[in-house]
Every structure is written in structure tokens, then in C-alpha cells.
Amino acid sequence: MQRQKGVALWRQIADRIRANIAEGFYEASGMVPPETQLAEEFGVNRHTVRAAISALAQEGIVRAVQGRGTLIERRDKFAFPIGRRTRFTQGIGDQARDIRGYLLGSEEEVASADLCSWLKLEVGTRVIRIDAMRQADGRALSRSTAWFPADRFRGIDEAFRATESITKALALLGVPDYLRDVTEISAVHAEPDDVAQMGLTPGSIVLVTKALNTDADGVPIQYAVTRFPADRVQFTIRS
Amino acid sequence: MQRQKGVALWRQIADRIRANIAEGFYEASGMVPPETQLAEEFGVNRHTVRAAISALAQEGIVRAVQGRGTLIERRDKFAFPIGRRTRFTQGIGDQARDIRGYLLGSEEEVASADLCSWLKLEVGTRVIRIDAMRQADGRALSRSTAWFPADRFRGIDEAFRATESITKALALLGVPDYLRDVTEISAVHAEPDDVAQMGLTPGSIVLVTKALNTDADGVPIQYAVTRFPADRVQFTIRS
DNA sequence: CGCGATTTGTTCGTATGTATC
DNA sequence: GGATACATACGAACAAATCGC
């Protein structure tokens, strides 16, 4: 393990152990190797490894039991498919028992220049913004901001609040089907808002998608920016 | 700015400024706001902001000039398209002047169980592993490990070393065309190897793709794991 | 040209966090 | 657990460069 500035050693080690768990590295035993072994492996003091494990225990990823070892509590990642018919709830429907969508807030506003170019709107057109969060089995899965042309989709906020689904809300407003046109994927460090709202750990990673959906005629109807915790989600693109 | 343990404050702030620059947040002025303003904005001491800016200057993203301010040097991100005909060099060909592929090493080995299921091989089949790195205009863009069935693609390592391109190497071995079947995308913290080989900063983010390519008949020919620096790359999926 | 306002660069000191032994 | 070394963060001042008037 390499000494690096700006990130505490114990956090670097916590990140690597977390990644190892996510990749099923310790699957055989179902537990993390002993602290002394990890300390030697990473070339650090055992105190440092203990700090890392303590942080992981705080996250609920592992549980240290005196005399037995450090047990792995959960290591499941949701696979989120992206394609022409990308649907949030449907995509991960069989991977979780309980999927919920919460309306955090909504507002009608004037579209920004950037948004206008995405939705192909005249400058100054009004749009409805919907801030939402989605949970699967009690764990936050995403935080999204979506914009819809206001004149066509007035009332979509209430429809979403009632149905907890964009697909169903759009159906209520006369769009029975829609298609994913383009998806951009990038990754950034979690912002304080991510940490607070999705229960992430500081310094963790957030996958960001920017997506454009169109109706069956190819007319843009929704532009959305969605933030996913990288340790709970991976994307799958079938070409 | 929220105080968080394990990650230095100056690093959190550097991450946020870097993200802001990448999103074109400061585009109007072409420079980052004054240190005093940033300090107030993030609720930290000016020293801390200076440490963050110093790190960004080290990366070549900004340049601080006494009396003038902090100029933005670079805010380009490569857009890497993913689709049925995903090609590395072709995808970013018009975004960089000089794209190179280096063969780091290659070896013939027995395929792991996981790899066998991806490539639809019998257990125990031999494969050729190719470790490669790609640079665009001198900056590391990716680090990949690819596996090919050994009996069909013997000599592909030499072909890749000569052509610096998987596409051309496959063509030399009788595969004029191939198609991307599935791509998985996830994100992790940079490992020490990433930091060393791609010149990343500690604690930064790496986007990981796992991809399966097939020949025109749908027979799997290549499985590859590729690691991209998240601050230099974003993916685009056209559905 | 000088002047002040703005902005980065530097140097003290002090307190706390991190990592090792 | 205690001692030690180093990194991190804050605060207050002052120096030096740039710009507009």
C-alpha cells in the first residue's frame, strides 16, 4: 500500500476492502481476513487496519466479532440495464422486493440554455422540474432531477407523487410509451447533498447519468440527471 | 463544506472545483473565483482553498497567477461512445491529435471459471491475456486487460504490438468485423497501480468497463476489463 | 505616470488528526 | 496505551503582482 497525500491511509484501505468485498474476493470464507494478515498485506500497522474495518462496520458492510473474525454482511450490487427501453422500476424489479420513488419537490421554471438544447426547445420555454429519490429495500438507489416541457406535461409532479413512477405518470398524461435516446455516464465524488440524502459515506463515488427520453415520434419529452451510489449500482448496456 | 473524516478537506474542495470546471461552471470568466470567495463559499480557511488549487495546478487543470487570479488550463473530457460497433481509437479519434496503444505484456494462460462463462468456453481452455494502456495526447486514457481464445487468436499479442490497435490486430487474424455484445460499467477508487501507471491523483475515481465482443456470427472472441480515469472520460450510449 | 483595489504568495503561530513504534 | 513525527486546518498579518482609473 502506497503512501498518498490527502486521503487517510485507513480510508484507502477501507476503500480497497470494500471493493474486494464487492467483487466477491472473500466469498469463499464469507469473511474478511484477520487484521494481522491485512496489516501485513497492505504494509501498515494493525491500528490502521482496525480504523478501516471500524469504518466499514459503521457502513454496515462488515461486522467484527471478537474471537471469530470480521463477517461480511452484504455485498450485493444492483445491475441497472440501459437501453432503448430503459425503465427504472422495471430494470431492477426482480432484484429487490420493495422499490419506492419519492417526490422530493417540483417546480415550474424557465429552461436553461443547456436544457433547451437537450429538449430542443425555444429559449425561454417553461419546464417542470421534478426532484425525486428512489429506494430499494430501504437503501437509497438514486437521486434524480428531471425536466419536462411545462405546456405538455403540466400536472406530472402530482401524477408522479401518486404513482411513484415516471412511466406511469407519463402514461396518465397521454404518453403510453417512450424511448431512451442517449445516455451519458460519468463519475464524481459524492457531494454533501449525496452524503446526506442517500446515506453515503464521505469521499465515496457517485455515478452520474444524463439521459434524454423521447416519445414514440422522436420528440424529446424528458431530460434527467440521476446520481447513483457507485457501490450499490452497476450499469449494463446490451448492444 | 462538510467536515468529513478520512478525506482531507483540501482534497474534497479540489474534487468539487475540478467537477465544476469539467461541467463548464466557470466558463464565462475562464477562471476560478478568487481564493477568498471560494473560502467563504466552502466555509473554510483560505489556506485550505490554496491547498486545493495547488493540487489542481499540479494536475495541470488550473494555473494561478499572482495579481490576476487562477486561470483554467484544461476542462476537456473525452466522450467515449458505447454501442454495437464500439471501437477504441475510432471513438475518440477526432477528440485527440495523438492516440497510442502500448502493449504492457501478454501471456497464455488457462481461463478462469468466470472468464469461461463470458467467452462460452469449456473449463480448462487456454486463452491469451493482453495488458495494454492507451494514451491520448500524452495523457493516459485507459488501462485494459483483454482475453482471447488462444487456439483461434495465437499471435494477437504481436499483432497488437505492431498495429497498436485491437481492431487491426483482429483483422490481421481473420476477423474483419466484430460487435459489442454487452458492456458493464461501474466505478471504484483508483488502486495504487492506477495511480502509478496512469498518473492519477490518490483517491481519484476510476470507471471500470467489462465488455464482451463477438464476431459477425455472434461467437464470443474477446472479453476485456478496462479502467478509465473518471475525470478524463465520460461514456455516451446512443440507444 | 501613480494610486488604490483586487488577488495570489508567504510567514508566523496554534490546535487537531493521522500513523508508527 | 503512551510517545513521537508528520499532515491537516485555522487565524492573522504582510508582501508582491496585476488591473483599471
Side-chain angles (χ1 to χ4, degrees):
Chain A
M1 174 59 63
Q2 191 174 321
R3 263 67 170 180
Q4 309 170 329
K5 283 182 183 173
V7 183
L9 248 185
W10 64 261
R11 167 160 286 283
Q12 296 178 52
I13 289 169
D15 291 338
R16 296 200 55 184
I17 296 176
R18 194 191 302 104
N20 283 348
I21 292 174
E23 295 207 351
F25 209 71
Y26 306 129
E27 204 157 358
S29 58
M31 49 198 291
V32 172
E35 291 171 356
T36 50
Q37 188 179 322
L38 287 170
E40 191 179 0
E41 195 174 312
F42 292 125
V44 300
N45 196 278
R46 185 169 149 261
H47 289 311
T48 312
V49 170
R50 285 183 59 76
I53 288 177
S54 156
L56 293 175
Q58 193 72 27
E59 295 175 36
I61 292 173
V62 301
R63 183 164 51 93
V65 180
Q66 200 171 89
R68 285 186 60 194
T70 306
L71 283 62
I72 295 169
E73 290 285 278
R74 61 163 190 246
R75 43 154 259 282
D76 45 323
K77 229 179 196 182
F78 289 101
F80 191 81
I82 293 180
R84 193 110 179 98
R85 306 190 69 83
T86 295
R87 303 286 187 272
F88 196 102
T89 311
Q90 198 175 313
I92 50 171
D94 51 351
Q95 300 175 56
R97 290 184 307 280
D98 175 37
I99 297 170
R100 298 212 52 190
Y102 296 94
L103 180 64
L104 297 177
S106 67
E107 201 147 1
E108 188 171 326
E109 60 191 25
V110 175
S112 70
D114 190 41
L115 183 56
C116 284
S117 89
W118 276 101
L119 287 176
K120 291 184 187 159
L121 297 175
E122 307 264 324
V123 178
T125 310
R126 300 188 71 80
V127 290
I128 295 171
R129 191 191 77 231
I130 289 186
D131 296 308
M133 193 165 104
R134 290 189 178 78
Q135 291 188 329
D137 297 338
R139 283 200 294 162
L141 249 201
S142 79
R143 200 159 74 86
S144 69
T145 303
W147 289 269
F148 303 83
D151 53 352
R152 184 169 174 190
F153 295 104
R154 212 168 300 274
I156 191 161
D157 46 349
E158 271 311 316
F160 176 74
R161 189 202 302 275
T163 60
E164 292 191 350
S165 156
I166 290 288
T167 305
K168 289 176 185 164
L170 284 171
L172 283 178
L173 281 130
V175 180
D177 193 20
Y178 62 95
L179 297 170
R180 174 68 60 95
D181 189 49
V182 59
T183 311
E184 287 182 5
I185 299 178
S186 57
V188 298
H189 286 100
E191 291 180 5
D193 277 359
D194 297 317
V195 172
Q197 293 192 30
M198 298 200 284
L200 303 186
T201 52
S204 62
I205 304 175
V206 171
L207 279 160
V208 183
T209 65
K210 302 185 178 185
L212 182 70
N213 283 323
T214 64
D215 64 15
D217 300 326
V219 179
I221 58 174
Q222 179 200 19
Y223 174 71
V225 179
T226 312
R227 307 172 68 85
F228 301 82
D231 59 347
R232 298 176 195 166
V233 169
Q234 76 167 27
F235 298 116
T236 307
I237 301 113
R238 295 217 128 71
S239 310
Chain B
M1 174 59 60
Q2 195 170 318
R3 252 126 266 233
Q4 312 169 329
K5 283 184 180 172
V7 184
L9 248 186
W10 64 262
R11 169 160 290 286
Q12 299 177 49
I13 288 169
D15 291 337
R16 297 198 54 182
I17 295 175
R18 194 192 298 105
N20 284 346
I21 291 173
E23 296 208 350
F25 210 70
Y26 307 128
E27 205 157 358
S29 57
M31 47 198 289
V32 172
E35 293 170 353
T36 50
Q37 188 179 321
L38 287 170
E40 192 180 359
E41 199 174 307
F42 292 125
V44 301
N45 193 275
R46 187 164 79 96
H47 284 306
T48 311
V49 170
R50 283 181 59 74
I53 288 176
S54 157
L56 294 175
Q58 194 71 28
E59 296 176 36
I61 293 174
V62 300
R63 180 166 52 94
V65 180
Q66 192 172 136
R68 286 184 62 191
T70 305
L71 286 63
I72 295 172
E73 291 281 276
R74 226 179 28 208
R75 48 157 262 283
D76 48 326
K77 229 180 196 184
F78 289 101
F80 191 81
I82 294 180
R84 192 114 178 93
R85 304 189 71 82
T86 296
R87 302 286 186 272
F88 196 103
T89 311
Q90 197 175 314
I92 51 170
D94 50 352
Q95 301 173 56
R97 290 184 307 280
D98 176 37
I99 297 170
R100 299 211 51 189
Y102 297 94
L103 179 65
L104 297 178
S106 66
E107 201 146 2
E108 188 171 327
E109 59 191 26
V110 175
S112 69
D114 189 41
L115 183 55
C116 284
S117 89
W118 276 100
L119 288 176
K120 290 184 187 157
L121 298 174
E122 306 265 323
V123 179
T125 310
R126 300 189 72 81
V127 289
I128 295 171
R129 191 190 76 229
I130 289 186
D131 295 308
M133 191 164 104
R134 289 190 178 78
Q135 292 188 328
D137 297 339
R139 285 199 294 161
L141 250 199
S142 78
R143 202 159 74 85
S144 67
T145 304
W147 289 269
F148 304 81
D151 52 352
R152 184 169 175 191
F153 295 105
R154 212 168 301 273
I156 191 159
D157 47 349
E158 271 311 314
F160 175 75
R161 189 202 303 275
T163 60
E164 293 191 350
S165 156
I166 290 287
T167 305
K168 289 175 185 166
L170 284 171
L172 283 178
L173 280 129
V175 180
D177 194 21
Y178 62 95
L179 297 170
R180 175 67 59 96
D181 190 49
V182 60
T183 311
E184 287 181 7
I185 300 177
S186 57
V188 299
H189 285 100
E191 290 180 5
D193 278 358
D194 298 317
V195 172
Q197 294 193 28
M198 298 200 283
L200 303 186
T201 52
S204 62
I205 305 175
V206 171
L207 279 159
V208 183
T209 66
K210 302 184 178 186
L212 182 70
N213 283 324
T214 64
D215 64 14
D217 300 327
V219 179
I221 59 173
Q222 178 201 21
Y223 174 71
V225 179
T226 312
R227 308 172 68 86
F228 301 82
D231 58 348
R232 297 175 196 168
V233 170
Q234 76 167 24
F235 298 116
T236 307
I237 300 114
R238 297 217 126 73
S239 311

